Amino acid sequence: MAVEDRRSRTGTDVLIRKVDSHVAALRTGLHGPELELAERLAGCLRELVISTAQASAADRAQVRAAVHYFVLRRESQGRLLSVRSLAAAQRLVNRAARQLGRPDLTVEGRPGRDAMAPA
């Protein structure tokens, strides 16, 4: 049992580190509503990772997929997510939260059109 606990804790730590590293990178390029959305998505993902650490393999896989989608999603040539990518990640994360019985973790709101205009 202790080996399984250690393995799940390690997997949990890795996923949370991925989310945290990605948000740290986003902080250098995003501001205002986009950054706020990214931060809220990261908070939701962290909570989902923690709350499913002892859940079924299928539930953990769903959360892992949501984390990877958030962290690896690229729709532009740049290093950072576009606003459109954040909205797509938001839809996926919200769907995962609802399917896992955690509608309280859904992230509402999107960056407005002003957020997409170049600064």
Side-chain angles (χ1 to χ4, degrees):
M1 183 91 152
V3 172
E4 187 174 319
D5 287 342
R6 189 176 7 195
R7 218 176 307 151
S8 69
R9 188 174 37 239
T10 301
T12 299
D13 292 346
V14 168
L15 290 174
I16 290 174
R17 269 197 313 271
K18 284 183 181 209
V19 169
D20 290 345
S21 295
H22 186 61
V23 171
L26 291 175
R27 284 183 188 125
T28 65
L30 293 180
H31 305 284
E34 303 102 328
L35 180 57
E36 184 180 319
L37 176 58
E39 296 273 3
R40 288 185 292 151
L41 287 171
C44 174
L45 287 169
R46 283 185 209 101
E47 184 60 35
L48 284 173
V49 167
I50 291 167
S51 68
T52 59
Q54 301 299 320
S56 70
D59 289 352
R60 290 191 319 270
Q62 188 172 8
V63 172
R64 191 170 48 253
V67 167
H68 289 160
Y69 189 88
F70 175 68
V71 170
L72 300 175
R73 180 87 171 149
R74 299 289 186 266
E75 287 187 1
S76 65
Q77 300 293 59
R79 182 167 143 69
L80 301 177
L81 289 174
S82 68
V83 172
R84 191 169 71 181
S85 291
L86 285 173
Q90 178 184 14
R91 287 188 298 275
L92 183 82
V93 169
N94 284 346
R95 187 175 357 164
R98 283 191 293 276
Q99 287 176 346
L100 293 168
R102 295 298 309 268
D104 58 306
L105 293 178
T106 57
V107 176
E108 300 303 324
R110 289 190 204 174
R113 292 219 179 262
D114 294 339
M116 294 193 305

